[in-house]
Amino acid sequence: PALPHFSDFTEMMRALGYPRLISMENFRTPNFMLVSEVLLWLVKRYEPQSDIPGDVETEQDRVFFIKAVAQFMATKAHIRLNTKRLYQADGSAVKELLKVTSVLYGAMNTQGGERAQPPEEDSTKFKFDLGSKIADLKAARQLASEITSKGAVLYDLLGKEVELREARTESIARPLEINEAEKVMKIAINSVLEEVQKTKDMLNNVALDEANLEAKIEKRKLELERSQKRLQTLQSVRPAFMDEYEKIEEQLQKQYSTYLEKFRNLTYMEQLLEDHRRTEQEMFE
């Protein structure tokens, strides 16, 4: 039986400028190489700067490739693909490929583009970047929401302009009193002086902490030097009873050598005795 929508798929691929001719026989049996080639070509047509690897030699590479393409289409074009059907790479995969080709074909028609030329001509005539269009659409939506919120805030502020105008006019019309201005300036100056004093105190505290730390570091250095000298002294001093220990160790080595010699002799004598007994037993028998 004929594959569903296969004629639409081949027509769209030809219109989009796919360089190969696709026949129905290509999808009678699973053909993962062709499906991966078509998917990679569609991804490149959608976004030429995409970096999806095209290695599909092993099973793990194929699974990674299908997942990468499905994730790309879901995030960039909001097209949900069935990864199991794509992995089957047979007639059922055509339905999933149609989802992508339909979007590209519709976008090409919307832009008023003519049908793609045959493979022997320039097939890059109708390349377009839908990713940038979607990004522009998202940016426009964000700007529209910001304009709405800013407009609401501006409307609220303009509603308060009547009251604010009266207060502003009253403040401007009121004569400036020198004594009051001087008082306010003194308060501001005192506040600044207090901040300056606080900053100076903090700097003094930092200097004091630095001095304390330097003193502690110097103390630690002296302790380290004393410990190193003590260690060198202990290493140079010969432990007590070391001479006696060395003599006993030498005697022990001699005793061990004697023990080994006697053990070998005893083993040899036992072997001779065993051979002698065996010989007597044979003679007796």
Side-chain angles (χ1 to χ4, degrees):
L3 295 173
H5 306 293
F6 190 83
S7 60
D8 297 338
F9 175 68
T10 55
E11 180 67 21
M12 290 178 185
M13 291 297 292
R14 189 179 70 84
L16 291 172
Y18 186 65
R20 286 181 52 182
L21 294 177
I22 303 175
S23 64
M24 183 174 60
E25 297 299 328
N26 296 132
F27 295 95
R28 290 290 185 185
T29 58
N31 191 349
F32 192 87
M33 299 303 295
L34 178 58
V35 172
S36 62
E37 181 182 346
V38 172
L39 283 174
L40 190 59
W41 186 84
L42 292 173
V43 170
K44 292 295 183 182
R45 287 299 298 269
Y46 190 88
E47 186 172 338
Q49 291 80 16
S50 61
D51 56 351
I52 296 179
D55 189 8
V56 292
E57 295 296 332
T58 62
E59 179 182 354
Q60 185 177 2
D61 293 336
R62 294 182 177 185
V63 173
F64 179 78
F65 174 77
I66 293 296
K67 287 184 177 180
V69 172
Q71 185 177 4
F72 174 84
M73 288 299 173
T75 55
K76 296 293 184 179
H78 302 284
I79 300 174
R80 186 175 181 180
L81 298 177
N82 191 323
T83 55
K84 292 183 179 179
R85 290 182 178 178
L86 289 176
Y87 191 80
Q88 290 176 4
D90 53 7
S92 60
V94 178
K95 295 181 180 180
E96 303 304 317
L97 295 175
L98 267 171
K99 297 178 181 179
V100 184
T101 55
S102 300
V103 174
L104 295 176
Y105 185 76
M108 185 183 69
N109 292 335
T110 302
Q111 290 182 357
E114 299 177 356
R115 297 178 64 86
Q117 299 297 327
E120 60 270 16
E121 298 183 4
D122 187 7
S123 62
T124 62
K125 185 176 181 180
F126 299 106
K127 284 188 176 180
F128 44 84
D129 190 1
L130 290 181
S132 61
K133 301 297 182 182
I134 294 176
D136 294 341
L137 179 59
K138 292 181 178 179
R141 289 178 178 175
Q142 184 177 0
L143 289 175
S145 62
E146 290 181 0
I147 290 173
T148 305
S149 60
K150 294 295 179 62
V153 174
L154 181 60
Y155 179 79
D156 295 336
L157 293 176
L158 290 175
K160 299 177 182 179
E161 175 62 19
V162 178
E163 300 177 0
L164 295 176
R165 187 187 300 115
E166 295 178 357
R168 185 170 58 252
T169 303
E170 182 180 356
S171 299
I172 294 173
R174 186 175 57 185
L176 182 62
E177 296 181 2
I178 300 301
N179 294 331
E180 185 177 356
E182 183 180 359
K183 182 178 179 181
V184 173
M185 292 298 296
K186 286 183 178 180
I187 293 174
I189 292 172
N190 292 333
S191 177
V192 172
L193 291 177
E194 290 179 359
E195 294 294 332
V196 171
Q197 187 62 34
K198 289 181 180 179
T199 305
K200 289 182 179 180
D201 294 340
M202 292 176 63
L203 291 175
N204 294 332
N205 293 334
V206 170
L208 182 60
D209 293 339
E210 183 179 0
N212 293 333
L213 289 175
E214 289 180 354
K216 289 181 179 179
I217 291 172
E218 188 66 24
K219 182 179 179 181
R220 296 295 182 184
K221 286 183 179 179
L222 295 175
E223 291 179 358
L224 178 60
E225 291 178 359
R226 287 197 296 268
S227 299
Q228 289 179 347
K229 291 180 180 179
R230 184 178 179 185
L231 176 61
Q232 293 176 358
T233 303
L234 292 175
Q235 289 177 347
S236 61
V237 173
R238 187 177 178 84
F241 308 106
M242 193 64 186
D243 296 336
E244 184 179 358
Y245 172 78
E246 291 178 352
K247 291 180 180 179
I248 295 174
E249 188 177 16
E250 184 178 355
Q251 294 177 1
L252 177 62
Q253 187 67 30
K254 292 180 180 180
Q255 293 292 336
Y256 183 71
S257 300
T258 305
Y259 164 76
L260 289 179
E261 183 179 358
K262 289 184 179 181
F263 182 79
R264 286 196 299 269
N265 294 336
L266 178 61
T267 304
Y268 177 71
M269 296 299 292
E270 288 179 350
Q271 184 66 32
L272 291 178
L273 179 60
E274 183 66 25
D275 294 340
H276 181 68
R277 290 177 179 176
R278 187 182 302 107
T279 304
E280 288 184 349
Q281 183 68 24
E282 291 176 357
M283 292 176 60
F284 178 75
E285 292 177 356

